[in-house]
């Protein structure tokens, strides 16, 4: 690649080198000098519409005011960006924009930053500043041109052809994103409906772009491109991210790869999935607004969530009353018979957050309150004193059908109160369903891959619940976290540390202790039927293609004897359990 010629210029007394063909604005940005602009975008050709980026170019014969976004950088050029003449001219341009769009927040904010509170020019009450960003991104990047300038003079505007919804528009939303005044309405441009991309991390409560950071603590901490929604990968257009990336880190030709590595120890920590509350239709999840599951409320209440930590209803209002339903899907013979352990405590946490953030009336519908951890019971008692309402009884239904005036426009939680012996109807603004924990949907595939056994509820089974709580039946495989069973964060952290210690101990040992009793197969009598291969739970038998016989791998064999019982010819045996050996033991006992 041929390096571009460089030109040197001085801006506000600072010298900078930029590639030939760069603009004065780009040179100033390289120095960190801020020049206001509304019509400039690095991925688009400069247009010079807003005239806010004016600077003073010094010549031998004097100086001249020019738009820095379109003026090319030249060798030896001297530029001033903060002279009285420049600032005065920019303010005039800002007043003109404020006169055209006096009600647009972004224009008001920029004017305030320049010290302009009111404009001296007649106001037009428009919302578009005619910067052309939307038209340029549609034509230059998307290659569609569904929106463009129309009319001339004072009637000039941005519109699709014939002022009708365009069949060419892809509904990509690029025009809405780049618009500095947020005045572009995609529904008036495209015949296709808008298709926002739901954010997986935010449980679909907000959208995300096609290039995004999976979550704040992602490892590696780098953005990824969604190939299913990226316009460049789907149509060959756009590529704006490549144009704005100074590190040249965008590579559209990358493909997904699978890398196989050989390891001696494996820690299985596949986590859990939240119970799908749509299975219990009477709770209205997915059908009634303001009925949230636990993960949705967790994101809603988080500072980095869609509402910046504010607890708001779907209508954007602060709830006055909230119901939290415990054990959704857990301790239920129709769904999950086991207790998920964490539901009670995170429901109490939700109650505390709602009370702290909104001051709303909080109702907790619970079956039994289980608070076995350190400090858990004390937290429960704290909420009792804070005024949270606890109703002991199973919730029967969540409905929006009102039977009294106070229930109008509310969600009504119907449930039994076993302490009072009555059925209650509680009108609330928001319902939080505390779903139970269940294994991931690919648990069967993982179990087959690592030869793991499953216990109640399809959680992975450990070697021994007390003596080997983090070890799987196969040596070198360890379990950590909720893949073994429902558990909260302290237990998961402790088990993860234990699994890591066991893995390190095995690797540091440098040798493997074999079982004294293993199976073996007589090669002279084996017919090669391979029945034993399918029956071995540890994958300790392989088939010798050359000799056409099955062979036991002693390092993997645990001497369980399954292959001995399965072999139709009786050629698989366990060491120490041959007929002659057993007869000798009996003779010794009877002698």
């Amino acid at each position: 690649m041929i390096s571009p010629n460089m030109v040197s210029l001085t801006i506000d007394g600072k010298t900078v080198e930029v590639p030939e063909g760069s603009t004065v604005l780009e040179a100033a940005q390289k120095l960190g000098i801020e020049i206001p602009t509304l019509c400039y975008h690095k991925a688009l050709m400069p247009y010079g519409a807003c005239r806010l980026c004016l600077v003073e170019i010094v010549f031998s014969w004097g100086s001249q005011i020019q738009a820095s976004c379109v003026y090319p950088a030249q060798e030896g050029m001297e530029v001033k960006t903060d002279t009285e003449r420049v600032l005065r001219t920019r303010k005039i341009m800002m007043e003109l924009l404020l006169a055209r769009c006096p009600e647009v927040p972004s224009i008001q904010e920029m004017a305030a930053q320049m010290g302009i509170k009111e404009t001296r020019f007649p106001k037009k009450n428009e919302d578009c500043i005619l910067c052309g960003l939307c038209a340029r991104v549609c034509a230059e990047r998307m290659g569609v041109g569904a929106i463009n300038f129309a009319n001339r003079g004072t009637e000039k505007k941005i519109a699709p052809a014939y002022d009708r919804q365009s069949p060419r528009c892809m509904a990509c939303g690029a025009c809405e994103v780049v618009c500095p005044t947020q005045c572009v309405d995609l529904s008036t441009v495209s015949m296709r409906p808008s298709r926002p991309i739901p954010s997986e991390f935010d449980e679909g409560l907000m959208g995300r772009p096609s290039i995004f950071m999976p979550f704040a603590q992602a490892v590696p901490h780098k953005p990824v491109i969604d190939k299913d929604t990226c316009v460049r990968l789907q149509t060959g257009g756009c590529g704006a991210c490549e144009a704005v990336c100074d590190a040249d880190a965008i590579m559209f030709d990358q493909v997904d790869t699978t890398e196989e590595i050989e390891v001696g120890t494996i820690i299985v920590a596949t986590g859990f999935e939240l119970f799908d509350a749509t299975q219990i239709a009477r709770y209205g999840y997915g059908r009634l607004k303001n009925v949230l599951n636990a993960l949705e409320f967790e994101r809603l209440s988080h500072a980095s969530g869609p509402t910046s930590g504010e607890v708001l209803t779907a209508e954007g209002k602060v709830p006055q009353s909230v119901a939290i339903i415990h054990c959704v899907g857990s301790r239920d013979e129709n769904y999950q018979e086991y207790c998920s352990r964490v539901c009670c405590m995170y429901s109490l946490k939700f109650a505390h957050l709602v009370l702290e953030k909104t001051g709303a009336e909080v109702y907790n519908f619970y079956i039994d309150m289980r608070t076995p951890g350190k400090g858990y019971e004390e937290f429960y008692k704290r909420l009792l004193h804070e005024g949270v309402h606890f109703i002991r009884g199973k919730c029967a239904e969540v409905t929006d059908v009102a039977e009294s005036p106070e229930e109008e426009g509310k969600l009504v939680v119907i449930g039994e109160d076993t302490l009072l012996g009555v059925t209650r109807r509680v009108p609330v603004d928001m319902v939080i369903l505390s779903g139970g924990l269940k294994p991931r949907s690919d648990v069967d595939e993982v179990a087959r891959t690592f030869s793991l056994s499953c216990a109640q509820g399809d959680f992975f089974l450990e070697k021994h619940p007390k003596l080997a709580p983090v070890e799987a039946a196969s040596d070198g495989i360890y379990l950590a976290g909720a893949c073994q069973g429902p558990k909260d964060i302290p237990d998961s952290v402790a088990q993860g540390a234990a699994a890591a210690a066991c893995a390190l101990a095995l690797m540091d040992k440098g040798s493997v202790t074999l079982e004294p009793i293993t199976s073996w197969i007589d090669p002279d009598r084996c017919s090669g039927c391979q029945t034993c291969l399918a029956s071995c739970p540890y994958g300790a038998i392989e088939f010798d293609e050359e000799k056409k016989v099955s062979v036991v791998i002693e390092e993997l064999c645990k001497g369980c004897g399954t292959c001995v019982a399965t072999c139709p010819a009786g050629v698989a045996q366990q060491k120490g359990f041959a007929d002659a050996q057993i007869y000798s033991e009996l003779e010794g006992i009877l002698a």
Side-chain angles (χ1 to χ4, degrees), residues 134 146-150 157-164 189:
C134 53
I147 188 171
N148 212 327
F149 286 106
K157 64 178 182 178
I158 292 286
Y162 306 107
D163 274 338
R164 299 175 182 174
V189 178

Side-chain angles (χ1 to χ4, degrees), residues 69-129:
C69 68
V70 294
Y71 203 91
Q74 301 173 10
E75 181 67 33
M77 175 186 287
E78 183 181 356
V79 180
K80 296 181 180 180
T81 68
D82 58 354
T83 64
E84 182 180 350
R85 182 184 177 191
V86 168
L87 298 178
R88 183 175 66 251
T89 310
R90 285 182 189 169
K91 286 184 178 181
I92 293 175
M93 296 296 108
M94 192 70 248
E95 281 194 57
L96 289 170
L97 291 173
L98 187 60
R100 179 177 178 83
C101 308
E103 303 299 327
V104 175
S106 58
I107 301 297
Q108 293 174 346
E109 182 180 351
M110 184 172 282
Q113 291 174 355
M114 293 186 177
I116 301 172
K117 296 181 179 180
E118 194 55 64
T119 177
R120 295 167 290 177
F121 303 101
K123 296 182 179 180
K124 295 184 179 181
N125 293 321
E126 300 284 346
D127 54 6
C128 175
I129 62 172

